[in-house]
Amino acid sequence: PEQAWAPFANLPFTPYRDAIAGPCTYKMTILDCLHGLAYAIGLGWFSYDNFDVEEYDQLADINGGDVNWVVPNKFMAFTGPFPRST
């Protein structure tokens, strides 16, 4: 992860913050995401060769549930609640 991040390390990226209202209790950086991706690859949870873009897009769509797998076929994350429908 550090090698992939190195060319961008001196650029001013804002850490990720969840869009849900309320105080932010953490600051997730791009490097944090790269570490998570490396960890997922090491566990066999992600493979560039087997990633199904169509399934990802279908599940991410509101009509497909607006969900994403966190742990493949075991733990699914839903989008946070909205105060009104969009």
Side-chain angles (χ1 to χ4, degrees):
E2 281 76 14
Q3 184 179 4
W5 173 245
F8 309 98
N10 293 320
L11 297 175
F13 291 101
T14 301
Y16 171 80
R17 182 212 143 84
D18 197 317
I20 303 261
C24 180
T25 58
Y26 61 90
K27 293 182 178 179
M28 185 174 14
T29 66
I30 295 171
L31 184 57
D32 293 330
C33 294
L34 292 172
H35 278 283
L37 179 59
Y39 190 76
I41 290 169
L43 292 172
W45 292 353
F46 179 82
S47 166
Y48 289 104
D49 295 331
N50 298 322
F51 184 74
D52 187 340
V53 175
E54 289 180 17
E55 178 188 28
Y56 176 84
D57 287 342
Q58 180 183 4
L59 290 173
D61 185 84
I62 188 71
N63 295 316
D66 203 7
V67 297
N68 283 287
W69 285 110
V70 177
V71 177
N73 300 312
K74 292 188 181 192
F75 181 67
M76 184 174 272
F78 295 84
T79 299
F82 290 93
R84 63 189 186 310
S85 64
T86 55

